[in-house]
Coordinates of all heavy atoms in Angstrom, one line a residue:
I287 N 80.0 112.5 -113.9 CA 78.9 112.7 -113.0 C 79.5 112.8 -111.6 O 80.2 111.9 -111.2 CB 77.9 111.5 -113.1 CG1 77.3 111.4 -114.5 CG2 76.8 111.7 -112.1 CD1 76.4 110.2 -114.7
L288 N 79.1 113.8 -110.9 CA 79.4 113.9 -109.5 C 78.0 113.7 -108.8 O 77.1 114.6 -108.9 CB 80.0 115.2 -109.2 CG 80.3 115.5 -107.7 CD1 81.2 114.4 -107.1 CD2 81.0 116.9 -107.6
D289 N 77.8 112.6 -108.1 CA 76.6 112.3 -107.5 C 76.8 112.1 -106.0 O 77.4 111.1 -105.5 CB 76.0 111.0 -108.1 CG 74.6 110.6 -107.5 OD1 74.1 111.3 -106.6 OD2 74.0 109.7 -108.1
F290 N 76.3 113.0 -105.2 CA 76.4 112.9 -103.7 C 75.5 111.8 -103.1 O 75.7 111.5 -102.0 CB 76.1 114.3 -103.1 CG 77.2 115.3 -103.3 CD1 77.2 116.1 -104.4 CD2 78.3 115.3 -102.4 CE1 78.3 117.0 -104.6 CE2 79.3 116.2 -102.6 CZ 79.3 117.0 -103.7
G291 N 74.7 111.2 -103.9 CA 73.9 110.0 -103.5 C 74.8 108.8 -103.4 O 74.4 107.8 -102.8
D292 N 76.0 108.9 -103.9 CA 77.0 107.8 -103.9 C 77.8 107.7 -102.6 O 78.5 106.8 -102.3 CB 78.0 107.9 -105.0 CG 77.3 107.6 -106.4 OD1 76.3 106.9 -106.4 OD2 77.9 108.0 -107.4
I293 N 77.6 108.8 -101.7 CA 78.3 108.8 -100.4 C 77.3 108.5 -99.3 O 76.1 108.5 -99.5 CB 79.1 110.1 -100.2 CG1 78.1 111.3 -100.0 CG2 80.1 110.4 -101.2 CD1 78.7 112.6 -99.6
E294 N 77.8 108.2 -98.2 CA 76.9 107.9 -97.0 C 75.9 109.0 -96.8 O 76.3 110.2 -96.8 CB 77.8 107.7 -95.8 CG 77.0 107.2 -94.6 CD 77.9 107.0 -93.4 OE1 79.0 106.5 -93.5 OE2 77.4 107.4 -92.3
K295 N 74.7 108.6 -96.6 CA 73.6 109.6 -96.5 C 73.9 110.6 -95.4 O 73.7 111.8 -95.6 CB 72.3 108.9 -96.3 CG 71.1 109.9 -96.2 CD 69.8 109.1 -96.0 CE 68.6 110.1 -96.0 NZ 67.4 109.5 -95.8
K296 N 74.3 110.2 -94.2 CA 74.5 111.1 -93.1 C 75.6 112.1 -93.4 O 75.6 113.3 -93.0 CB 74.9 110.3 -91.8 CG 73.7 109.7 -91.1 CD 72.9 110.8 -90.5 CE 71.8 110.3 -89.6 NZ 70.9 111.3 -89.3
L297 N 76.6 111.7 -94.2 CA 77.7 112.6 -94.6 C 77.1 113.7 -95.5 O 77.4 114.9 -95.3 CB 78.9 111.8 -95.2 CG 80.0 112.7 -95.8 CD1 80.6 113.5 -94.7 CD2 81.0 111.8 -96.5
A298 N 76.4 113.2 -96.5 CA 75.8 114.2 -97.5 C 74.9 115.2 -96.8 O 74.9 116.4 -97.1 CB 75.1 113.4 -98.6
E299 N 74.1 114.7 -95.8 CA 73.2 115.5 -95.1 C 73.9 116.6 -94.3 O 73.3 117.7 -94.0 CB 72.3 114.7 -94.1 CG 71.3 113.9 -94.8 CD 70.5 112.9 -93.9 OE1 71.0 112.7 -92.7 OE2 69.5 112.5 -94.3
N300 N 75.1 116.4 -93.9 CA 75.9 117.3 -93.1 C 76.8 118.3 -93.9 O 77.4 119.2 -93.3 CB 76.8 116.6 -92.1 CG 75.9 116.0 -90.9 OD1 75.0 116.6 -90.4 ND2 76.2 114.7 -90.6
L301 N 76.8 118.1 -95.2 CA 77.6 119.0 -96.0 C 77.0 120.3 -96.1 O 75.8 120.5 -96.2 CB 77.8 118.4 -97.4 CG 78.6 117.1 -97.6 CD1 78.5 116.6 -99.0 CD2 80.0 117.4 -97.2
K302 N 77.9 121.3 -96.1 CA 77.5 122.7 -96.2 C 78.0 123.3 -97.5 O 78.8 122.7 -98.2 CB 78.1 123.6 -95.0 CG 77.7 123.0 -93.7 CD 76.4 123.5 -93.2 CE 76.2 123.1 -91.7 NZ 75.0 122.5 -91.5
D303 N 77.5 124.5 -97.8 CA 78.0 125.1 -99.1 C 79.5 125.2 -99.2 O 80.1 125.0 -100.3 CB 77.3 126.5 -99.2 CG 75.9 126.4 -99.6 OD1 75.6 126.1 -100.8 OD2 75.0 126.7 -98.8
E304 N 80.1 125.5 -98.1 CA 81.6 125.6 -98.1 C 82.3 124.3 -98.5 O 83.3 124.3 -99.2 CB 82.1 126.1 -96.7 CG 81.6 127.4 -96.2 CD 80.2 127.2 -95.5 OE1 80.0 126.2 -94.8 OE2 79.3 128.1 -95.7
D305 N 81.7 123.2 -98.0 CA 82.2 121.9 -98.4 C 82.0 121.6 -99.9 O 83.0 121.1 -100.5 CB 81.5 120.8 -97.6 CG 81.6 121.0 -96.1 OD1 82.7 121.4 -95.6 OD2 80.5 120.9 -95.4
I306 N 80.9 121.9 -100.4 CA 80.6 121.7 -101.8 C 81.5 122.5 -102.6 O 82.1 122.0 -103.6 CB 79.1 122.0 -102.1 CG1 78.2 121.1 -101.3 CG2 78.8 121.8 -103.6 CD1 78.2 119.7 -101.6
S307 N 81.6 123.8 -102.3 CA 82.5 124.7 -103.0 C 83.9 124.2 -103.0 O 84.6 124.2 -104.1 CB 82.4 126.1 -102.4 OG 83.3 127.0 -103.1
A308 N 84.5 123.8 -101.9 CA 85.9 123.4 -101.8 C 86.1 122.1 -102.7 O 87.1 122.0 -103.3 CB 86.2 123.1 -100.3
L309 N 85.1 121.2 -102.6 CA 85.3 120.0 -103.5 C 85.2 120.3 -105.0 O 86.0 119.8 -105.7 CB 84.1 119.0 -103.1 CG 84.1 117.7 -104.0 CD1 85.4 116.9 -103.7 CD2 82.9 116.9 -103.7
L310 N 84.3 121.2 -105.3 CA 84.2 121.6 -106.8 C 85.5 122.2 -107.2 O 85.9 122.0 -108.4 CB 83.0 122.5 -107.0 CG 81.6 121.8 -106.8 CD1 80.5 122.9 -106.9 CD2 81.4 120.7 -107.7
L311 N 86.1 123.1 -106.4 CA 87.3 123.7 -106.8 C 88.5 122.7 -106.8 O 89.3 122.7 -107.8 CB 87.7 124.8 -105.8 CG 86.8 126.1 -105.8 CD1 87.1 126.9 -104.6 CD2 87.1 126.8 -107.1
R312 N 88.5 121.8 -105.9 CA 89.6 120.8 -105.8 C 89.6 119.9 -107.0 O 90.7 119.5 -107.5 CB 89.4 119.9 -104.5 CG 90.3 118.8 -104.4 CD 91.6 119.3 -103.8 NE 92.4 118.1 -103.5 CZ 93.7 118.2 -103.4 NH1 94.3 119.4 -103.4 NH2 94.4 117.1 -103.1
I313 N 88.4 119.5 -107.6 CA 88.4 118.6 -108.7 C 88.3 119.3 -110.0 O 88.1 118.7 -111.1 CB 87.3 117.6 -108.6 CG1 85.9 118.3 -108.6 CG2 87.4 116.7 -107.3 CD1 84.7 117.3 -108.7
D314 N 88.4 120.7 -110.0 CA 88.3 121.5 -111.2 C 87.0 121.2 -112.0 O 86.9 121.0 -113.2 CB 89.5 121.2 -112.2 CG 89.5 122.2 -113.3 OD1 89.1 123.3 -113.2 OD2 90.1 121.8 -114.4
A315 N 85.9 121.2 -111.2 CA 84.6 120.8 -111.7 C 84.1 121.7 -112.8 O 83.4 121.2 -113.7 CB 83.5 120.9 -110.6
V316 N 84.5 123.0 -112.9 CA 84.1 123.9 -113.9 C 84.5 123.3 -115.3 O 83.8 123.6 -116.3 CB 84.6 125.3 -113.7 CG1 86.1 125.4 -113.9 CG2 83.8 126.3 -114.6
N317 N 85.6 122.6 -115.3 CA 86.0 122.0 -116.6 C 85.9 120.5 -116.7 O 86.2 119.9 -117.8 CB 87.5 122.3 -116.7 CG 87.8 123.8 -116.9 OD1 87.2 124.5 -117.7 ND2 88.7 124.3 -116.0
R318 N 85.3 119.8 -115.7 CA 85.3 118.4 -115.7 C 83.9 117.8 -115.5 O 83.7 116.6 -115.9 CB 86.3 117.8 -114.7 CG 87.7 118.3 -115.0 CD 88.7 117.8 -114.0 NE 88.9 116.4 -114.4 CZ 89.5 115.5 -113.6 NH1 89.9 115.9 -112.4 NH2 89.6 114.2 -113.9
V319 N 83.0 118.4 -114.7 CA 81.8 117.8 -114.3 C 80.7 118.2 -115.3 O 80.4 119.4 -115.6 CB 81.4 118.3 -112.9 CG1 80.0 117.8 -112.5 CG2 82.4 117.7 -111.9
K320 N 80.0 117.2 -115.9 CA 78.9 117.4 -116.8 C 77.6 117.3 -116.1 O 76.6 118.0 -116.5 CB 79.0 116.3 -117.9 CG 80.2 116.5 -118.8 CD 80.2 115.5 -119.9 CE 81.5 115.7 -120.8 NZ 81.5 114.8 -121.9
R321 N 77.5 116.5 -115.1 CA 76.3 116.3 -114.3 C 76.6 116.3 -112.8 O 77.5 115.7 -112.4 CB 75.5 115.0 -114.7 CG 75.0 115.0 -116.0 CD 74.2 113.7 -116.3 NE 73.2 113.4 -115.4 CZ 72.7 112.2 -115.1 NH1 73.3 111.1 -115.6 NH2 71.7 112.1 -114.2
L322 N 75.8 117.1 -112.1 CA 75.9 117.2 -110.7 C 74.6 116.8 -110.0 O 73.6 117.4 -110.4 CB 76.3 118.6 -110.3 CG 76.4 118.9 -108.8 CD1 77.5 118.1 -108.1 CD2 76.6 120.4 -108.6
K323 N 74.6 115.9 -109.1 CA 73.4 115.5 -108.4 C 73.6 115.7 -106.9 O 74.6 115.2 -106.3 CB 73.1 114.0 -108.7 CG 72.8 113.7 -110.1 CD 72.6 112.2 -110.4 CE 71.2 111.9 -110.0 NZ 70.8 110.5 -110.3
L324 N 72.8 116.5 -106.3 CA 72.9 116.9 -105.0 C 72.1 116.1 -104.0 O 71.6 116.6 -103.0 CB 72.5 118.4 -104.8 CG 73.5 119.4 -105.6 CD1 72.9 120.7 -105.7 CD2 74.8 119.4 -105.0
T325 N 71.9 114.8 -104.3 CA 71.2 113.9 -103.5 C 71.6 113.9 -102.1 O 72.8 113.8 -101.8 CB 71.3 112.5 -104.1 OG1 71.0 112.5 -105.5 CG2 70.4 111.5 -103.4
N326 N 70.6 114.1 -101.2 CA 70.8 114.2 -99.7 C 71.6 115.4 -99.2 O 71.8 115.5 -98.0 CB 71.5 112.9 -99.2 CG 70.7 111.6 -99.5 OD1 69.5 111.6 -99.4 ND2 71.4 110.6 -99.9
C327 N 71.9 116.3 -100.0 CA 72.6 117.6 -99.6 C 71.6 118.6 -99.2 O 71.3 119.6 -99.8 CB 73.5 118.1 -100.7 SG 74.9 117.0 -101.2
V328 N 70.9 118.3 -98.0 CA 69.8 119.1 -97.6 C 70.2 120.4 -96.8 O 69.3 121.2 -96.6 CB 68.8 118.3 -96.7 CG1 68.2 117.2 -97.6 CG2 69.5 117.7 -95.5
N329 N 71.5 120.6 -96.5 CA 71.9 121.7 -95.8 C 72.6 122.8 -96.6 O 73.4 123.5 -96.1 CB 72.8 121.3 -94.6 CG 72.0 120.7 -93.5 OD1 71.0 121.2 -93.1 ND2 72.5 119.6 -92.9
I330 N 72.4 122.8 -97.9 CA 73.0 123.8 -98.7 C 72.0 124.8 -99.2 O 70.8 124.5 -99.3 CB 73.8 123.2 -99.9 CG1 72.8 122.5 -100.8 CG2 74.8 122.2 -99.4 CD1 73.4 122.0 -102.2
T331 N 72.5 126.0 -99.5 CA 71.6 127.0 -100.1 C 71.8 127.2 -101.6 O 70.9 127.7 -102.3 CB 71.9 128.4 -99.5 OG1 73.3 128.8 -99.8 CG2 71.7 128.4 -98.0
G332 N 73.0 126.7 -102.1 CA 73.3 126.8 -103.5 C 74.5 127.7 -103.8 O 75.1 127.7 -104.8
V333 N 74.8 128.6 -102.8 CA 76.0 129.5 -103.0 C 77.3 128.7 -103.2 O 78.2 129.1 -103.8 CB 76.1 130.5 -101.8 CG1 76.5 129.8 -100.5 CG2 77.0 131.6 -102.2
G334 N 77.3 127.4 -102.7 CA 78.5 126.6 -102.9 C 78.7 126.1 -104.3 O 79.8 125.5 -104.6
L335 N 77.8 126.4 -105.2 CA 77.9 126.0 -106.6 C 78.6 127.1 -107.4 O 78.8 126.8 -108.6 CB 76.5 125.7 -107.2 CG 75.7 124.6 -106.4 CD1 74.4 124.4 -107.0 CD2 76.5 123.3 -106.4
V336 N 79.0 128.2 -106.8 CA 79.6 129.2 -107.6 C 80.8 128.8 -108.4 O 81.1 129.2 -109.5 CB 80.0 130.4 -106.6 CG1 80.9 131.4 -107.3 CG2 78.7 131.1 -106.2
P337 N 81.6 127.8 -107.9 CA 82.8 127.3 -108.7 C 82.4 126.8 -110.1 O 83.2 126.6 -111.0 CB 83.4 126.3 -107.9 CG 83.1 126.7 -106.5 CD 81.7 127.2 -106.6
L338 N 81.1 126.5 -110.3 CA 80.6 126.0 -111.6 C 80.3 127.1 -112.6 O 80.1 126.9 -113.8 CB 79.4 125.1 -111.4 CG 79.6 123.8 -110.7 CD1 78.3 123.1 -110.5 CD2 80.6 122.9 -111.5
R339 N 80.2 128.4 -112.1 CA 79.9 129.5 -112.9 C 80.8 129.6 -114.1 O 82.0 129.5 -114.0 CB 79.9 130.8 -112.1 CG 79.3 132.0 -112.9 CD 79.1 133.2 -112.1 NE 77.9 132.9 -111.2 CZ 77.7 133.5 -110.1 NH1 78.6 134.3 -109.5 NH2 76.6 133.2 -109.4
G340 N 80.2 129.7 -115.3 CA 81.0 129.9 -116.5 C 81.4 128.6 -117.1 O 82.0 128.5 -118.2
S341 N 80.9 127.4 -116.5 CA 81.2 126.1 -117.1 C 80.6 126.0 -118.5 O 79.4 126.3 -118.7 CB 80.7 125.0 -116.2 OG 80.9 123.8 -116.8
A342 N 81.4 125.5 -119.4 CA 80.9 125.3 -120.8 C 80.4 123.8 -121.0 O 79.9 123.5 -122.0 CB 81.9 125.6 -121.8
I343 N 80.7 123.0 -119.9 CA 80.4 121.6 -120.1 C 79.3 121.1 -119.2 O 78.8 120.0 -119.4 CB 81.6 120.7 -119.9 CG1 82.1 120.8 -118.5 CG2 82.7 121.1 -120.9 CD1 83.1 119.7 -118.2
I344 N 78.9 121.8 -118.2 CA 77.8 121.3 -117.3 C 76.5 121.2 -118.1 O 76.1 122.1 -118.8 CB 77.7 122.2 -116.0 CG1 76.8 121.6 -115.0 CG2 77.1 123.6 -116.4 CD1 77.5 120.6 -114.1
N345 N 75.9 120.1 -118.0 CA 74.6 119.8 -118.7 C 73.5 119.8 -117.8 O 72.3 120.1 -118.2 CB 74.7 118.5 -119.5 CG 75.6 118.5 -120.6 OD1 75.8 119.5 -121.3 ND2 76.3 117.4 -120.9
Q346 N 73.7 119.3 -116.5 CA 72.6 119.2 -115.6 C 73.0 119.3 -114.2 O 74.1 118.8 -113.8 CB 72.0 117.8 -115.8 CG 70.9 117.5 -114.8 CD 70.4 116.0 -114.9 OE1 71.2 115.1 -115.3 NE2 69.1 115.8 -114.6
I347 N 72.2 120.1 -113.4 CA 72.4 120.1 -112.0 C 71.1 119.7 -111.4 O 70.0 120.3 -111.6 CB 72.7 121.6 -111.5 CG1 74.0 122.1 -112.1 CG2 72.8 121.6 -110.0 CD1 74.3 123.5 -111.8
D348 N 71.1 118.5 -110.7 CA 69.9 117.9 -110.2 C 69.8 118.4 -108.7 O 70.6 118.1 -107.9 CB 70.1 116.4 -110.2 CG 68.9 115.6 -109.7 OD1 68.0 116.3 -109.0 OD2 68.8 114.4 -110.0
L349 N 68.7 119.2 -108.5 CA 68.4 119.7 -107.2 C 67.4 118.9 -106.4 O 66.8 119.4 -105.4 CB 68.0 121.2 -107.3 CG 68.9 122.1 -108.0 CD1 68.2 123.5 -108.2 CD2 70.2 122.3 -107.3
S350 N 67.1 117.7 -106.8 CA 66.0 117.0 -106.2 C 66.3 116.6 -104.7 O 65.3 116.4 -104.0 CB 65.7 115.7 -107.0 OG 66.9 114.8 -107.0
L351 N 67.5 116.6 -104.3 CA 67.9 116.4 -102.9 C 67.6 115.0 -102.3 O 68.1 114.6 -101.3 CB 67.3 117.4 -102.0 CG 67.7 118.9 -102.3 CD1 67.1 119.8 -101.3 CD2 69.2 119.1 -102.4
V352 N 66.8 114.2 -103.0 CA 66.5 112.8 -102.5 C 66.8 111.9 -103.6 O 66.8 112.2 -104.8 CB 65.1 112.6 -102.0 CG1 64.8 113.5 -100.8 CG2 64.1 112.9 -103.1
G353 N 67.2 110.6 -103.3 CA 67.5 109.6 -104.3 C 66.2 109.1 -105.0 O 65.1 109.4 -104.6
E354 N 66.5 108.4 -106.1 CA 65.4 107.8 -106.8 C 64.6 106.8 -105.9 O 65.2 106.1 -105.0 CB 65.9 107.0 -108.0 CG 66.5 107.9 -109.1 CD 67.0 107.1 -110.2 OE1 66.3 106.1 -110.6 OE2 68.0 107.4 -110.8
H355 N 63.3 106.8 -106.0 CA 62.4 105.9 -105.3 C 62.4 106.2 -103.8 O 62.0 105.4 -103.0 CB 62.8 104.5 -105.5 CG 62.9 104.1 -106.9 ND1 61.9 104.1 -107.8 CD2 64.0 103.7 -107.6 CE1 62.4 103.8 -109.0 NE2 63.7 103.5 -108.9
Q356 N 62.8 107.5 -103.4 CA 62.7 107.9 -102.0 C 61.6 108.9 -101.9 O 61.3 109.6 -102.8 CB 64.0 108.5 -101.5 CG 65.1 107.5 -101.4 CD 66.4 108.2 -100.9 OE1 66.6 109.4 -101.1 NE2 67.3 107.5 -100.3
R357 N 61.0 109.0 -100.7 CA 60.0 110.0 -100.4 C 60.6 111.4 -100.5 O 61.6 111.6 -99.9 CB 59.4 109.7 -99.0 CG 58.5 108.5 -99.0 CD 57.9 108.3 -97.6 NE 57.7 109.6 -96.9 CZ 57.5 109.7 -95.6 NH1 57.5 108.6 -94.9 NH2 57.3 110.8 -95.0
P358 N 59.9 112.3 -101.2 CA 60.4 113.6 -101.3 C 60.2 114.5 -100.1 O 60.4 115.7 -100.2 CB 59.7 114.2 -102.5 CG 58.4 113.4 -102.6 CD 58.7 112.1 -102.0
K359 N 59.7 114.0 -99.0 CA 59.5 114.8 -97.8 C 60.8 114.9 -97.0 O 61.3 114.0 -96.6 CB 58.4 114.2 -97.0 CG 57.0 114.2 -97.6 CD 55.9 113.7 -96.7 CE 54.6 113.7 -97.5 NZ 53.5 113.4 -96.6
I360 N 61.2 116.2 -96.8 CA 62.4 116.5 -96.1 C 61.9 117.4 -94.9 O 61.3 118.5 -95.2 CB 63.4 117.2 -96.9 CG1 63.8 116.2 -98.1 CG2 64.7 117.5 -96.1 CD1 64.7 116.9 -99.1
N361 N 62.3 117.1 -93.7 CA 61.9 117.9 -92.6 C 63.2 118.2 -91.7 O 63.8 117.2 -91.3 CB 60.8 117.2 -91.8 CG 60.2 118.1 -90.7 OD1 60.4 119.3 -90.8 ND2 59.5 117.6 -89.8
P362 N 63.5 119.4 -91.5 CA 62.9 120.7 -92.0 C 63.1 120.9 -93.5 O 64.0 120.2 -94.1 CB 63.5 121.8 -91.2 CG 64.9 121.2 -90.8 CD 64.7 119.7 -90.7
L363 N 62.4 121.8 -94.0 CA 62.5 122.1 -95.5 C 64.0 122.5 -95.8 O 64.5 123.3 -95.0 CB 61.5 123.2 -95.9 CG 60.1 122.7 -95.9 CD1 59.2 123.9 -96.3 CD2 59.8 121.6 -96.9
P364 N 64.5 122.1 -96.9 CA 65.9 122.5 -97.2 C 65.9 124.0 -97.6 O 65.0 124.6 -98.0 CB 66.2 121.6 -98.4 CG 64.9 121.1 -98.9 CD 64.0 121.1 -97.8
S365 N 67.1 124.6 -97.4 CA 67.2 126.0 -97.6 C 67.8 126.3 -99.0 O 68.2 127.4 -99.3 CB 68.1 126.6 -96.5 OG 69.4 125.9 -96.5
I366 N 67.8 125.3 -99.9 CA 68.4 125.6 -101.2 C 67.5 126.7 -101.9 O 66.3 126.7 -101.8 CB 68.5 124.3 -102.1 CG1 69.4 124.6 -103.3 CG2 67.1 123.8 -102.5 CD1 70.1 123.4 -103.7
S367 N 68.2 127.5 -102.7 CA 67.5 128.6 -103.3 C 67.8 128.7 -104.8 O 68.9 128.7 -105.2 CB 67.9 130.0 -102.7 OG 67.5 131.0 -103.5
C368 N 66.7 128.6 -105.6 CA 66.9 128.7 -107.1 C 67.6 130.0 -107.5 O 68.3 130.1 -108.4 CB 65.6 128.5 -107.8 SG 65.0 126.8 -107.8
D369 N 67.3 131.1 -106.7 CA 67.9 132.4 -107.0 C 69.5 132.3 -106.9 O 70.1 133.0 -107.6 CB 67.4 133.4 -106.0 CG 65.9 133.8 -106.3 OD1 65.5 133.5 -107.4 OD2 65.3 134.2 -105.3
L370 N 70.0 131.5 -106.0 CA 71.4 131.3 -105.9 C 72.0 130.4 -106.9 O 73.2 130.5 -107.2 CB 71.8 130.9 -104.5 CG 71.4 131.8 -103.3 CD1 71.7 131.2 -102.0 CD2 72.3 133.1 -103.5
V371 N 71.2 129.4 -107.4 CA 71.7 128.4 -108.3 C 71.6 128.9 -109.7 O 72.5 128.6 -110.5 CB 70.9 127.1 -108.1 CG1 71.3 126.0 -109.1 CG2 71.2 126.5 -106.7
L372 N 70.5 129.5 -110.1 CA 70.3 129.9 -111.5 C 71.4 130.7 -112.2 O 71.6 130.5 -113.4 CB 68.9 130.6 -111.6 CG 67.7 129.7 -111.5 CD1 66.4 130.6 -111.5 CD2 67.7 128.6 -112.5
P373 N 72.1 131.6 -111.5 CA 73.2 132.3 -112.2 C 74.3 131.3 -112.7 O 75.1 131.8 -113.6 CB 73.7 133.2 -111.2 CG 72.6 133.4 -110.2 CD 71.9 132.1 -110.2
I374 N 74.4 130.1 -112.3 CA 75.4 129.2 -112.7 C 75.2 128.9 -114.2 O 76.0 128.9 -115.0 CB 75.3 127.8 -112.0 CG1 75.4 128.0 -110.4 CG2 76.4 126.9 -112.4 CD1 76.7 128.8 -109.9

């Protein structure tokens, strides 16, 4: 499980697609990550998830962006796009 909720909230909030992509490539996520949780990653569009394309082991990508028991209101609205994530 790769859960961005496990890192400091301010750090996760500042991550961009390029950061997510670089990390996924670095850890060989396409072959190693079964679950990805994007908790607090409010500044991504989803294009940074391209390194997961073709993964045979990914079971879940959680796009909820907030942690459990947190208010789901994010201001400004996040720019994540299902159109960019769904091809994964």
Side-chain angles (χ1 to χ4, degrees):
I287 298 174
L288 178 56
D289 183 356
F290 285 92
D292 290 339
I293 64 172
E294 185 180 322
K295 183 177 180 181
K296 280 290 185 193
L297 176 60
E299 289 175 342
N300 288 315
L301 291 173
K302 306 277 190 231
D303 284 286
E304 302 83 41
D305 304 314
I306 302 293
S307 179
L309 176 65
L310 294 174
L311 288 168
R312 175 81 173 162
I313 66 170
D314 190 28
V316 72
N317 295 308
R318 302 181 73 195
V319 173
K320 293 182 181 180
R321 290 181 59 207
L322 174 64
K323 296 177 80 174
L324 296 168
T325 308
N326 298 322
C327 295
V328 295
N329 283 317
I330 64 169
T331 63
V333 73
L335 303 178
V336 168
L338 293 174
R339 188 168 286 152
S341 174
I343 66 165
I344 192 85
N345 290 326
Q346 179 185 27
I347 299 175
D348 183 343
L349 302 175
S350 61
L351 303 181
V352 296
E354 292 182 36
H355 312 294
Q356 291 180 336
R357 289 181 28 197
K359 293 185 179 187
I360 301 171
N361 191 12
L363 291 176
S365 56
I366 195 148
S367 167
C368 287
D369 292 334
L370 296 172
V371 176
L372 288 178
I374 305 302

